[in-house]
Amino acid sequence: MKKIITLILTLTFIVTSAFVFSSVVSADIDENGTYNLLDAKSATFEGGLGSWIKGLEDGTPSIAADKGRTGDAMLSGPRTKSWAGAFLDVAPIILANGAGVYDFSFYAMAVDDTNDGMLRLMFRDAAGSYGYDASAAGAITVDEYTLIEASFEVTEVDKAAKTFVCAVTASTDPNFVDEEHTVTGALNLTFDSGVGPVYIDDVCIVNLDTIPTPEPTPSPTPSPVPTASPVPTATPIATVAAAATTVPATTDATTDDGGGSPLVIVLIVSAVILLGGGAALLLIKPKKPTDTDTKG
């Protein structure tokens, strides 16, 4: 019984853990493309570059036909400097969608082996002089696309003044860390680290506060494993036949069973006792005294 209870608790923990893990929302376009706040061109580059523009140094964007995960991609390069990269202004998206936790992601792949294999997503203000809320640097290869992701929280939005406040938790400028930064003008999504041209595809921006919590998939309750019952031992056929043909002895006093009846035995024993007793009385009867005995 203890083993069955332990098994049920273990399965319940596994199912619960699986549900909690599956409930974590990210900006991966494969999972949440329905909530993507970007237009199709800016996200997948099918039919053009959308809102992407030239960034710092030689971060010039262009279309790379049939180089995407599916269809086209954006080519950014030649990127001879580590901070070179194309720009996408995300300020209009934030002003239109309000406060919340925003998650940003894209897929990147190195064009050739001149890239040193590292890339990170980050943001620069209108002057392009500061970078903050950078993702961890991800390793990219020429063989497959790598997902790179970053996020930050927007605490206030003023649509009339066209400004918003975001909490900065990571920055290339130490003055921005653990501070709230008011953005006025552009907030450019870009990338840096490493050198060499890169392909960018499937860009996704979501406001996590507006995405419904995934509904859990009902899982059947695990049933206890039944304990195996012992297999009954079969009765030999011969024994069953013998038991079926055995007739119990009768107790009827009128039944003639060759003298074996208890009543008959009692009668015989009583007769023997009576006859024996009579014979004994005859044998021990006292003799009458004779004349000789009287005279003497």
Short mmCIF file of all heavy atoms in Angstrom, two decimals, residues 91-131:
data_model
loop_
_atom_site.label_atom_id
_atom_site.label_comp_id
_atom_site.label_asym_id
_atom_site.label_seq_id
_atom_site.Cartn_x
_atom_site.Cartn_y
_atom_site.Cartn_z
N ALA A 91 9.69 52.16 -29.75
CA ALA A 91 8.95 53.14 -28.95
C ALA A 91 7.49 53.26 -29.38
O ALA A 91 6.58 53.28 -28.51
CB ALA A 91 9.64 54.50 -29.01
N PRO A 92 7.16 53.33 -30.68
CA PRO A 92 5.75 53.41 -31.08
C PRO A 92 4.93 52.21 -30.62
O PRO A 92 3.76 52.34 -30.27
CB PRO A 92 5.81 53.48 -32.61
CG PRO A 92 7.16 54.04 -32.91
CD PRO A 92 8.06 53.46 -31.85
N ILE A 93 5.55 51.03 -30.57
CA ILE A 93 4.85 49.82 -30.14
C ILE A 93 4.51 49.92 -28.65
O ILE A 93 3.40 49.59 -28.23
CB ILE A 93 5.71 48.58 -30.43
CG1 ILE A 93 5.87 48.41 -31.94
CG2 ILE A 93 5.11 47.34 -29.80
CD1 ILE A 93 6.81 47.28 -32.33
N ILE A 94 5.46 50.39 -27.85
CA ILE A 94 5.23 50.51 -26.41
C ILE A 94 4.20 51.59 -26.10
O ILE A 94 3.32 51.40 -25.25
CB ILE A 94 6.56 50.79 -25.68
CG1 ILE A 94 7.50 49.58 -25.84
CG2 ILE A 94 6.33 51.11 -24.21
CD1 ILE A 94 8.89 49.81 -25.32
N LEU A 95 4.28 52.71 -26.79
CA LEU A 95 3.30 53.79 -26.57
C LEU A 95 1.89 53.31 -26.93
O LEU A 95 0.91 53.70 -26.29
CB LEU A 95 3.67 55.01 -27.41
CG LEU A 95 4.93 55.78 -26.97
CD1 LEU A 95 5.28 56.86 -27.99
CD2 LEU A 95 4.75 56.38 -25.58
N ALA A 96 1.77 52.47 -27.94
CA ALA A 96 0.45 52.01 -28.38
C ALA A 96 -0.12 50.92 -27.47
O ALA A 96 -1.34 50.76 -27.37
CB ALA A 96 0.54 51.48 -29.81
N ASN A 97 0.74 50.18 -26.77
CA ASN A 97 0.28 49.01 -26.00
C ASN A 97 0.37 49.17 -24.49
O ASN A 97 -0.03 48.27 -23.75
CB ASN A 97 1.06 47.77 -26.43
CG ASN A 97 0.71 47.34 -27.84
OD1 ASN A 97 -0.26 46.63 -28.06
ND2 ASN A 97 1.52 47.78 -28.81
N GLY A 98 0.91 50.31 -24.03
CA GLY A 98 0.86 50.61 -22.61
C GLY A 98 1.90 49.91 -21.76
O GLY A 98 2.81 49.24 -22.27
N ALA A 99 1.74 50.06 -20.45
CA ALA A 99 2.70 49.50 -19.50
C ALA A 99 2.61 47.97 -19.49
O ALA A 99 1.64 47.37 -19.93
CB ALA A 99 2.43 50.05 -18.11
N GLY A 100 3.67 47.36 -18.96
CA GLY A 100 3.70 45.90 -18.87
C GLY A 100 5.13 45.40 -19.02
O GLY A 100 6.08 46.18 -19.22
N VAL A 101 5.26 44.10 -18.91
CA VAL A 101 6.56 43.46 -19.12
C VAL A 101 6.64 43.05 -20.58
O VAL A 101 5.85 42.22 -21.05
CB VAL A 101 6.74 42.24 -18.20
CG1 VAL A 101 8.07 41.54 -18.52
CG2 VAL A 101 6.70 42.65 -16.74
N TYR A 102 7.60 43.62 -21.28
CA TYR A 102 7.77 43.33 -22.71
C TYR A 102 8.90 42.33 -22.90
O TYR A 102 9.95 42.40 -22.25
CB TYR A 102 8.09 44.62 -23.48
CG TYR A 102 6.88 45.49 -23.71
CD1 TYR A 102 6.44 46.38 -22.72
CD2 TYR A 102 6.18 45.45 -24.91
CE1 TYR A 102 5.34 47.18 -22.92
CE2 TYR A 102 5.07 46.27 -25.13
CZ TYR A 102 4.65 47.12 -24.13
OH TYR A 102 3.55 47.93 -24.33
N ASP A 103 8.65 41.40 -23.79
CA ASP A 103 9.66 40.40 -24.12
C ASP A 103 9.97 40.51 -25.60
O ASP A 103 9.05 40.63 -26.43
CB ASP A 103 9.14 39.00 -23.78
CG ASP A 103 10.27 38.04 -23.45
OD1 ASP A 103 10.81 38.14 -22.34
OD2 ASP A 103 10.62 37.21 -24.31
N PHE A 104 11.26 40.48 -25.91
CA PHE A 104 11.72 40.66 -27.29
C PHE A 104 12.60 39.45 -27.67
O PHE A 104 13.41 39.00 -26.85
CB PHE A 104 12.57 41.93 -27.42
CG PHE A 104 11.88 43.18 -26.93
CD1 PHE A 104 11.86 43.49 -25.58
CD2 PHE A 104 11.25 44.04 -27.82
CE1 PHE A 104 11.23 44.64 -25.12
CE2 PHE A 104 10.63 45.19 -27.37
CZ PHE A 104 10.60 45.49 -26.01
N SER A 105 12.44 38.99 -28.89
CA SER A 105 13.28 37.87 -29.30
C SER A 105 13.48 37.89 -30.81
O SER A 105 12.68 38.46 -31.57
CB SER A 105 12.66 36.53 -28.89
OG SER A 105 11.53 36.23 -29.67
N PHE A 106 14.55 37.26 -31.25
CA PHE A 106 14.75 36.98 -32.68
C PHE A 106 15.68 35.77 -32.81
O PHE A 106 16.33 35.34 -31.85
CB PHE A 106 15.29 38.19 -33.45
CG PHE A 106 16.63 38.72 -32.99
CD1 PHE A 106 17.79 37.94 -33.02
CD2 PHE A 106 16.75 40.04 -32.57
CE1 PHE A 106 19.01 38.45 -32.63
CE2 PHE A 106 17.97 40.56 -32.16
CZ PHE A 106 19.10 39.76 -32.20
N TYR A 107 15.70 35.25 -34.01
CA TYR A 107 16.62 34.14 -34.32
C TYR A 107 17.78 34.70 -35.13
O TYR A 107 17.59 35.52 -36.04
CB TYR A 107 15.90 33.05 -35.12
CG TYR A 107 15.02 32.17 -34.28
CD1 TYR A 107 13.70 32.54 -34.00
CD2 TYR A 107 15.49 30.97 -33.76
CE1 TYR A 107 12.88 31.73 -33.22
CE2 TYR A 107 14.68 30.16 -32.98
CZ TYR A 107 13.37 30.54 -32.71
OH TYR A 107 12.58 29.74 -31.95
N ALA A 108 18.99 34.27 -34.81
CA ALA A 108 20.19 34.76 -35.49
C ALA A 108 21.06 33.59 -35.94
O ALA A 108 21.12 32.55 -35.27
CB ALA A 108 20.99 35.68 -34.56
N MET A 109 21.77 33.80 -37.05
CA MET A 109 22.71 32.80 -37.56
C MET A 109 23.87 33.51 -38.23
O MET A 109 23.67 34.53 -38.92
CB MET A 109 22.02 31.86 -38.54
CG MET A 109 22.90 30.71 -39.02
SD MET A 109 21.99 29.46 -39.99
CE MET A 109 21.65 30.39 -41.49
N ALA A 110 25.06 33.03 -38.05
CA ALA A 110 26.24 33.63 -38.68
C ALA A 110 26.23 33.34 -40.17
O ALA A 110 25.82 32.26 -40.62
CB ALA A 110 27.51 33.07 -38.05
N VAL A 111 26.65 34.34 -40.94
CA VAL A 111 26.69 34.17 -42.39
C VAL A 111 27.88 33.31 -42.80
O VAL A 111 27.78 32.43 -43.65
CB VAL A 111 26.76 35.54 -43.10
CG1 VAL A 111 27.00 35.38 -44.60
CG2 VAL A 111 25.47 36.32 -42.85
N ASP A 112 29.03 33.55 -42.18
CA ASP A 112 30.23 32.77 -42.49
C ASP A 112 31.10 32.68 -41.25
O ASP A 112 30.75 33.19 -40.19
CB ASP A 112 30.99 33.38 -43.68
CG ASP A 112 31.31 34.85 -43.47
OD1 ASP A 112 31.75 35.22 -42.34
OD2 ASP A 112 31.12 35.66 -44.39
N ASP A 113 32.24 32.08 -41.38
CA ASP A 113 33.10 31.84 -40.22
C ASP A 113 33.91 33.06 -39.81
O ASP A 113 34.78 32.97 -38.94
CB ASP A 113 34.02 30.65 -40.45
CG ASP A 113 34.86 30.79 -41.71
OD1 ASP A 113 34.89 31.89 -42.30
OD2 ASP A 113 35.48 29.79 -42.12
N THR A 114 33.65 34.25 -40.42
CA THR A 114 34.34 35.46 -39.96
C THR A 114 33.73 35.97 -38.65
O THR A 114 34.34 36.76 -37.94
CB THR A 114 34.25 36.58 -41.01
OG1 THR A 114 32.87 36.90 -41.24
CG2 THR A 114 34.89 36.14 -42.32
N ASN A 115 32.51 35.54 -38.35
CA ASN A 115 31.87 35.94 -37.09
C ASN A 115 32.53 35.18 -35.95
O ASN A 115 32.87 33.99 -36.08
CB ASN A 115 30.37 35.62 -37.15
CG ASN A 115 29.61 36.23 -35.98
OD1 ASN A 115 29.74 35.80 -34.85
ND2 ASN A 115 28.82 37.24 -36.29
N ASP A 116 32.72 35.87 -34.81
CA ASP A 116 33.40 35.23 -33.68
C ASP A 116 32.46 34.38 -32.84
O ASP A 116 32.85 33.88 -31.78
CB ASP A 116 34.11 36.27 -32.81
CG ASP A 116 33.14 37.19 -32.07
OD1 ASP A 116 31.91 37.04 -32.25
OD2 ASP A 116 33.60 38.04 -31.31
N GLY A 117 31.20 34.21 -33.31
CA GLY A 117 30.30 33.26 -32.68
C GLY A 117 29.48 33.79 -31.53
O GLY A 117 28.85 33.01 -30.83
N MET A 118 29.43 35.12 -31.29
CA MET A 118 28.65 35.66 -30.18
C MET A 118 27.76 36.78 -30.68
O MET A 118 28.11 37.53 -31.58
CB MET A 118 29.56 36.18 -29.06
CG MET A 118 30.53 35.14 -28.50
SD MET A 118 29.69 33.70 -27.78
CE MET A 118 28.94 34.46 -26.34
N LEU A 119 26.58 36.89 -30.05
CA LEU A 119 25.66 37.97 -30.38
C LEU A 119 24.72 38.18 -29.19
O LEU A 119 24.42 37.23 -28.47
CB LEU A 119 24.83 37.62 -31.63
CG LEU A 119 24.17 38.81 -32.35
CD1 LEU A 119 25.23 39.67 -33.02
CD2 LEU A 119 23.17 38.31 -33.39
N ARG A 120 24.30 39.44 -28.96
CA ARG A 120 23.32 39.71 -27.91
C ARG A 120 22.34 40.77 -28.40
O ARG A 120 22.68 41.63 -29.21
CB ARG A 120 24.00 40.17 -26.62
CG ARG A 120 24.66 41.52 -26.71
CD ARG A 120 25.25 41.95 -25.38
NE ARG A 120 25.91 43.25 -25.48
CZ ARG A 120 26.49 43.88 -24.46
NH1 ARG A 120 26.49 43.33 -23.26
NH2 ARG A 120 27.06 45.07 -24.64
N LEU A 121 21.13 40.69 -27.89
CA LEU A 121 20.08 41.66 -28.20
C LEU A 121 20.12 42.76 -27.15
O LEU A 121 20.37 42.48 -25.98
CB LEU A 121 18.73 40.94 -28.19
CG LEU A 121 17.46 41.70 -28.54
CD1 LEU A 121 16.43 40.71 -29.09
CD2 LEU A 121 16.88 42.41 -27.34
N MET A 122 19.87 44.02 -27.56
CA MET A 122 19.93 45.13 -26.62
C MET A 122 19.14 46.32 -27.16
O MET A 122 18.57 46.26 -28.25
CB MET A 122 21.37 45.53 -26.34
CG MET A 122 22.10 46.06 -27.56
SD MET A 122 23.81 46.50 -27.22
CE MET A 122 23.62 47.64 -25.88
N PHE A 123 19.12 47.43 -26.39
CA PHE A 123 18.39 48.63 -26.78
C PHE A 123 19.31 49.85 -26.68
O PHE A 123 20.13 49.94 -25.78
CB PHE A 123 17.17 48.83 -25.86
CG PHE A 123 16.27 47.64 -25.85
CD1 PHE A 123 16.46 46.63 -24.94
CD2 PHE A 123 15.25 47.53 -26.78
CE1 PHE A 123 15.63 45.52 -24.93
CE2 PHE A 123 14.43 46.42 -26.80
CZ PHE A 123 14.62 45.42 -25.86
N ARG A 124 19.11 50.78 -27.61
CA ARG A 124 19.84 52.05 -27.57
C ARG A 124 18.83 53.19 -27.70
O ARG A 124 17.83 53.06 -28.42
CB ARG A 124 20.88 52.13 -28.69
CG ARG A 124 22.01 51.13 -28.54
CD ARG A 124 23.10 51.34 -29.60
NE ARG A 124 24.16 50.36 -29.49
CZ ARG A 124 25.20 50.43 -28.67
NH1 ARG A 124 25.32 51.49 -27.86
NH2 ARG A 124 26.12 49.50 -28.65
N ASP A 125 19.10 54.29 -27.01
CA ASP A 125 18.16 55.41 -27.08
C ASP A 125 18.33 56.17 -28.39
O ASP A 125 19.07 55.75 -29.28
CB ASP A 125 18.31 56.32 -25.86
CG ASP A 125 19.68 56.96 -25.78
OD1 ASP A 125 20.44 56.90 -26.78
OD2 ASP A 125 20.00 57.52 -24.71
N ALA A 126 17.63 57.31 -28.50
CA ALA A 126 17.62 58.06 -29.76
C ALA A 126 19.02 58.49 -30.18
O ALA A 126 19.33 58.54 -31.37
CB ALA A 126 16.71 59.27 -29.63
N ALA A 127 19.88 58.80 -29.19
CA ALA A 127 21.24 59.24 -29.52
C ALA A 127 22.13 58.06 -29.89
O ALA A 127 23.21 58.24 -30.46
CB ALA A 127 21.84 60.00 -28.34
N GLY A 128 21.70 56.86 -29.55
CA GLY A 128 22.49 55.68 -29.87
C GLY A 128 23.71 55.52 -28.99
O GLY A 128 24.60 54.71 -29.28
N SER A 129 23.78 56.31 -27.88
CA SER A 129 24.99 56.32 -27.08
C SER A 129 24.93 55.39 -25.88
O SER A 129 25.95 55.18 -25.22
CB SER A 129 25.28 57.75 -26.60
OG SER A 129 24.17 58.26 -25.89
N TYR A 130 23.75 54.85 -25.58
CA TYR A 130 23.63 53.99 -24.40
C TYR A 130 22.97 52.67 -24.78
O TYR A 130 22.11 52.62 -25.66
CB TYR A 130 22.79 54.68 -23.30
CG TYR A 130 23.38 55.96 -22.81
CD1 TYR A 130 22.81 57.18 -23.14
CD2 TYR A 130 24.53 55.96 -22.01
CE1 TYR A 130 23.36 58.37 -22.68
CE2 TYR A 130 25.08 57.14 -21.55
CZ TYR A 130 24.50 58.35 -21.89
OH TYR A 130 25.04 59.52 -21.44
N GLY A 131 23.37 51.65 -24.10
CA GLY A 131 22.75 50.34 -24.30
C GLY A 131 22.33 49.77 -22.97
O GLY A 131 23.09 49.85 -22.00
#
